[in-house]
Amino acid sequence: MTTLGASIFSTDISTALHPEMTSLFWNQRRNPILKRLAVSTEQLASTATTVTSKTTPKRNFVEKESSEAAASSTATAVKSKTTSTGTTYLSEESEGNRKSLKDYFDEAKDMIKADGAPPRWFSPLECGSHSPDAPLLLFLPGIDGVGVGLTRQHQRLGKIFDVWSLHIPVKDRTSFAGLVQLIERTIRSEHNHSPNKPIYLVGESLGACFALAVAARNPHIDLVLVLSNPATSFSMSVLQSTISLLEFIPGQMTLTLCHILSSMTGDPLKMAIDNVVKGISVPPTIQDLSTYLSVLADILPNETLLWKLELLKSASAYANARLHSVKAQTLILYSGKDQMMPSEEEGQRLSRELPNCQTRRFDDNGHFLLLEEGVDLVTIIKGAGYYRRGKCINYVSDFIPLTTTEFNKFCEEIRLRSDLTSPVMLSTLEDGKIVADLSGIPSEGPVLYVGYHNLLGLEAFPMVQQFMIQRNVLVRCVAHPMFFESKDGGLPDFEGNDTLRIIGGVPASAVNLYKLLSSKSHVMLHPGGMREALHRKGEEYKLFWPESSEFVRMSSTFGAKIIPFGAVGEDDIAQIVLDYNDQMKIPFLKSQIEEMNKRVVKLRTDITGEVANQPVHLPLPIPKIPGRFYYYFGKPIETKGRKQELRDRKKSQKLYLQVKGEVENCIAYLKEKRQNDPYRNILPRLIYQATHGFRAQVPTFEL
């Protein structure tokens, strides 16, 4: 139940670009790997001097062709780094390359200079390091239309997506229908080129309406929509009321731009506090805000702003009228402090209207969510379980290793649990010696950790954390499928689900276990499943395992080491007051449990007995004065070279019972030894940490 080589984009000069695609140029000083740019033959003569000039325009974008137009072009081979899924190292992030709101305005200013061309796609150079099988991500901008609204996300997005952004020039007056057709031509061309890959449409505000319109018109194409504060609520926004005022009151234009700018810069007081705490750059000065307002006025002069507002009105009406036709997988991001549109109410409404939809709420953010500090689109997509390279998600090959930021956030989320329980980790060396750390854990996989599931799976996350800290090994948790399903068949969205997906959780199935072991992963398995994690009163530390050996022969197929382990401590931190039997006697709770279990995915439907009795419910525990968690990992059991031997059912069953017996021995050992731990209770631990530092490791019993 529990609860990771840069490539170069270059292309030969094409003579067959789509009409909507014209050349863009990069600032070569920002990225020295630029080799060639795609330009149309009409522009070649007029721009050749510009390309070779020392004063290259400050644009870090390269024009993109659809596959249809690029078929005759020769692209450089793409190389990417591969990461072992056995010992998984944290992906390092470059703090110095993180962009700010100032970068958005600098890049927007460059993009709108002397630009009379039609709308077209471009790709940031910093998004050029993706692997060959990376799915395409099309960014559809908001009211600004510039296309650099993902500038703070480019570095990470570019590692897992082929990113294209739509640029709508300031003076362009292409209709809503024309822009939808442009997007459609691209996705149809790319779908024909790679029919087994999904295409991601990331739409911000106005762009979200474009994404919904395209999805409604192309239900046969595998699209994944990520919509940030969709402008489908335009009729109820403050911008709706400004259209008539802008036509007759020139001074209203400045007020409107100031309102848009305030939505970009967010809450100044919150920003100032966050920046001081994080030790990063100070918030925008008055001079900065004046510069931003000037650039915004260039992006949205009077006529353009009026045009964009009318475009918003048309786009919102069109998208709302066709929501019933949208079948695409959709993720809606909405802000709790959006001053431009009622995004929170709209996000909840769209969630009810769209059949395949999840939402994520950002309490303290404004309308331009993707430009704000601390918002990481890759982490959001990973947490929702929306990243895939094929028709269906592959939880092994599609897994993206944690970054240091993600791991630190994970540690912060479970900090209270870890601090209150001060986990003790014991492992066994090859000679049988027990040590008070994880040095007995193998570095290389495949390794299968088989153990008892504590109440509500409370032991899982601290275990994953300590394995990363002490051994730099990521343990993949095998969990019930309901944690990975959305709406029907799953649990309501909550933060713990996202965390489980981000740290590499995998739905329980024989196929997924096979994939994990074949990729030499470290895997955590609880044969007792929900029956142990949702046990009844008085059943603490009682194993509810199937009679047959579910995992032994599969482990031997890949020569995996099996490490039995015990984890105790649930009885030290909580006591069940209402278990399943109690709740089934209360009519209201009984009906809720029965209704939930009609929707939830059923496991082990082919077996009988107590282990098959796994109805989903939530035991009601009351907390105790916090005790301590203890983990004991027994001596690894080798299966390498025993594949033929363990094909014999009797021998396989014998090893299975041996593992089960070792788990029971580990639990018994911990229950006995913790009686002699002078720091089992929280008060002695607090006193120890007060004198030795609150990050100091608290001692335990003698081994």
Side-chain angles (χ1 to χ4, degrees):
M1 171 159 172
T2 41
T3 24
L4 311 89
S7 65
I8 301 174
F9 171 83
S10 64
T11 181
D12 291 335
I13 294 174
S14 173
T15 58
L17 291 180
H18 284 303
E20 66 268 15
M21 297 184 182
T22 57
S23 67
L24 286 172
F25 304 103
W26 261 161
N27 176 5
Q28 296 188 37
R29 291 172 296 175
R30 289 188 180 181
N31 197 322
I33 66 172
L34 177 64
K35 290 188 175 180
R36 286 169 242 148
L37 297 170
V39 295
S40 64
T41 52
E42 292 80 8
Q43 293 173 312
L44 185 58
S46 63
T47 60
T49 304
T50 307
V51 174
T52 57
S53 170
K54 293 182 180 179
T55 57
T56 306
K58 292 177 65 178
R59 296 182 185 173
N60 55 338
F61 312 107
V62 128
E63 177 191 0
K64 296 299 295 187
E65 305 174 61
S66 68
S67 297
E68 186 179 75
S72 60
S73 299
T74 302
T76 57
V78 181
K79 298 179 180 179
S80 64
K81 294 180 180 178
T82 57
T83 305
S84 169
T85 53
T87 302
T88 305
Y89 298 89
L90 290 179
S91 172
E92 292 293 337
E93 297 171 288
S94 176
E95 296 286 339
N97 291 333
R98 287 187 179 179
K99 291 191 173 183
S100 65
L101 188 63
K102 182 178 183 299
D103 292 295
Y104 164 81
F105 282 102
D106 287 344
E107 292 170 2
K109 188 175 181 180
D110 290 334
M111 289 285 291
I112 63 175
K113 286 181 179 178
D115 194 350
R120 71 276 193 181
W121 302 103
F122 66 88
S123 180
L125 261 185
E126 56 197 342
C127 294
S129 62
H130 58 82
S131 62
D133 62 343
L136 176 65
L137 184 150
L138 301 179
F139 174 59
L140 310 177
I143 191 172
D144 63 306
V146 180
V148 294
L150 289 181
T151 189
R152 300 187 78 157
Q153 314 289 337
H154 285 159
Q155 188 177 23
R156 290 207 64 204
L157 285 173
K159 295 179 181 179
I160 62 173
F161 289 107
D162 181 10
V163 180
W164 299 16
S165 294
L166 180 63
H167 175 63
I168 305 173
V170 172
K171 295 183 179 180
D172 179 76
R173 296 297 181 263
T174 304
S175 67
F176 171 74
L179 290 169
V180 169
Q181 289 172 5
L182 183 156
I183 300 166
E184 276 188 328
R185 283 198 298 271
T186 302
I187 67 166
R188 288 173 180 173
S189 172
E190 295 302 315
H191 174 68
N192 290 335
H193 182 257
S194 302
N196 295 320
K197 279 184 174 183
I199 297 175
Y200 285 72
L201 299 182
V202 176
E204 175 189 67
S205 187
L206 170 62
C209 296
F210 287 125
L212 288 168
V214 170
R217 291 161 58 98
N218 297 273
H220 62 288
I221 297 180
D222 185 7
L223 299 176
V224 180
L225 311 185
V226 182
L227 311 180
S228 175
N229 293 320
T232 45
S233 62
F234 177 72
S235 61
M236 297 177 287
S237 74
V238 296
L239 294 178
Q240 165 72 25
S241 60
T242 62
I243 296 179
S244 56
L245 292 174
L246 289 173
E247 294 175 341
F248 301 106
I249 307 176
Q252 183 68 25
M253 178 64 66
T254 302
L255 292 176
T256 302
L257 292 178
C258 287
H259 187 73
I260 294 174
L261 180 61
S262 68
S263 296
M264 287 185 170
T265 54
D267 183 345
L269 178 60
K270 176 182 178 295
M271 287 179 62
I273 294 173
D274 288 348
N275 289 338
V276 169
V277 170
K278 297 175 183 177
I280 60 177
S281 59
V282 296
T285 63
I286 298 299
Q287 184 177 0
D288 290 333
L289 295 176
S290 176
T291 302
Y292 297 167
L293 187 60
S294 174
V295 176
L296 194 57
D298 291 337
I299 296 173
L300 296 170
N302 290 23
E303 300 82 3
T304 300
L305 181 56
L306 275 169
W307 171 259
K308 290 292 179 65
L309 291 177
E310 292 292 347
L311 196 62
L312 269 170
K313 186 177 180 181
S314 301
S316 175
Y318 187 96
N320 277 312
R322 289 160 178 79
L323 287 178
H324 63 279
S325 299
V326 177
K327 309 302 180 187
Q329 190 178 14
T330 305
L331 177 62
I332 297 176
L333 318 178
Y334 62 87
S335 300
K337 293 186 177 179
D338 189 342
Q339 300 176 13
M340 288 181 61
M341 298 188 186
S343 292
E344 183 171 356
E345 294 81 357
E346 186 66 4
Q348 295 170 356
R349 180 184 78 88
L350 291 176
S351 176
R352 294 190 296 268
E353 295 281 343
L354 300 173
N356 190 11
C357 178
Q358 290 190 46
T359 61
R360 293 297 181 273
R361 184 177 190 271
F362 299 83
D363 295 337
D364 300 321
N365 296 89
H367 185 72
F368 294 90
L369 177 67
L370 302 177
L371 284 173
E372 295 196 34
E373 176 72 27
V375 177
D376 190 324
L377 187 56
V378 170
T379 300
I380 294 167
I381 292 173
K382 287 166 57 177
Y386 270 41
Y387 184 73
R388 54 188 171 91
R389 297 180 177 92
K391 289 184 177 295
C392 299
I393 186 171
N394 184 319
Y395 287 93
V396 178
S397 63
D398 288 337
F399 174 65
I400 304 168
L402 283 76
T403 63
T404 51
T405 299
E406 288 170 341
F407 180 67
N408 289 337
K409 183 180 179 182
F410 165 62
C411 292
E412 190 62 34
E413 289 174 358
I414 67 169
R415 180 180 299 278
L416 180 60
R417 190 188 314 178
S418 296
D419 287 349
L420 290 178
T421 59
S422 299
V424 174
M425 296 282 166
L426 308 178
S427 62
T428 309
L429 302 179
E430 290 186 2
D431 60 3
K433 181 181 178 181
I434 301 174
V435 291
D437 54 36
L438 295 176
S439 57
I441 298 299
S443 298
E444 299 299 324
V447 182
L448 186 65
Y449 304 91
V450 184
Y452 164 77
H453 219 358
N454 277 226
L455 179 66
L456 301 177
L458 295 175
E459 84 289 352
F461 283 178
M463 174 177 163
V464 172
Q465 178 194 37
Q466 290 301 315
F467 267 69
M468 287 295 293
I469 292 173
Q470 294 191 36
R471 299 290 291 165
N472 203 14
V473 165
L474 180 63
V475 178
R476 307 290 298 273
C477 304
V478 176
H480 196 284
M482 67 182 178
F483 289 98
F484 302 88
E485 300 286 337
S486 60
K487 292 190 174 180
D488 293 342
L491 292 178
D493 296 331
F494 70 99
E495 192 172 358
N497 287 8
D498 285 18
T499 301
L500 178 61
R501 298 183 189 110
I502 289 170
I503 65 172
V506 175
S509 74
V511 172
N512 284 334
L513 183 58
Y514 182 95
K515 290 178 180 179
L516 287 170
L517 294 178
S518 66
S519 64
K520 299 183 179 180
S521 298
H522 290 245
V523 187
M524 175 165 45
L525 179 69
H526 300 94
M530 282 202 307
R531 182 59 184 87
E532 285 179 359
L534 304 180
H535 57 248
R536 321 310 188 223
K537 295 176 184 176
E539 292 181 345
E540 298 88 352
Y541 310 124
K542 181 179 179 181
L543 270 57
F544 292 94
W545 286 22
E547 294 182 1
S548 59
S549 53
E550 295 181 318
F551 56 84
V552 171
R553 278 180 289 180
M554 192 178 294
S555 298
S556 66
T557 299
F558 302 102
K561 294 181 176 70
I562 299 175
I563 299 184
F565 75 93
V568 305
E570 64 168 88
D571 56 332
D572 271 350
I573 63 173
Q575 179 178 346
I576 299 175
V577 293
L578 279 180
D579 63 11
Y580 173 75
N581 297 329
D582 295 326
Q583 294 182 37
M584 291 300 286
K585 297 175 183 177
I586 302 173
F588 172 71
L589 294 178
K590 179 181 179 181
S591 62
Q592 281 194 327
I593 293 172
E594 290 175 344
E595 183 62 30
M596 181 184 297
N597 280 276
K598 289 178 183 178
R599 297 185 291 107
V600 170
V601 179
K602 301 295 191 298
L603 293 179
R604 290 173 168 165
T605 56
D606 57 337
I607 62 176
T608 59
E610 191 63 28
V611 72
N613 181 21
Q614 297 192 356
V616 179
H617 67 288
L618 187 63
L620 178 61
I622 57 172
K624 295 181 177 180
I625 297 175
R628 199 169 192 183
F629 268 133
Y630 301 84
Y631 300 77
Y632 173 30
F633 298 90
K635 186 177 180 180
I637 299 173
E638 289 282 358
T639 65
K640 189 174 182 180
R642 302 178 65 184
K643 182 178 178 180
Q644 295 299 325
E645 173 193 349
L646 294 176
R647 281 185 177 179
D648 182 274
R649 288 186 177 275
K650 290 184 178 180
K651 292 181 179 180
S652 175
Q653 184 69 9
K654 182 179 179 181
L655 181 56
Y656 177 75
L657 295 176
Q658 178 189 344
V659 174
K660 183 178 180 181
E662 288 294 329
V663 171
E664 292 173 328
N665 290 339
C666 290
I667 293 173
Y669 175 86
L670 291 174
K671 288 175 68 176
E672 178 185 354
K673 296 293 287 186
R674 69 175 174 173
Q675 302 293 334
N676 300 320
D677 184 0
Y679 300 99
R680 178 178 175 182
N681 296 320
I682 191 169
L683 183 58
R685 296 201 301 272
L686 290 176
I687 295 174
Y688 181 89
Q689 291 178 321
T691 56
H692 294 80
F694 282 94
R695 296 272 67 88
Q697 178 64 39
V698 180
T700 186
F701 49 78
E702 293 184 4
L703 300 178

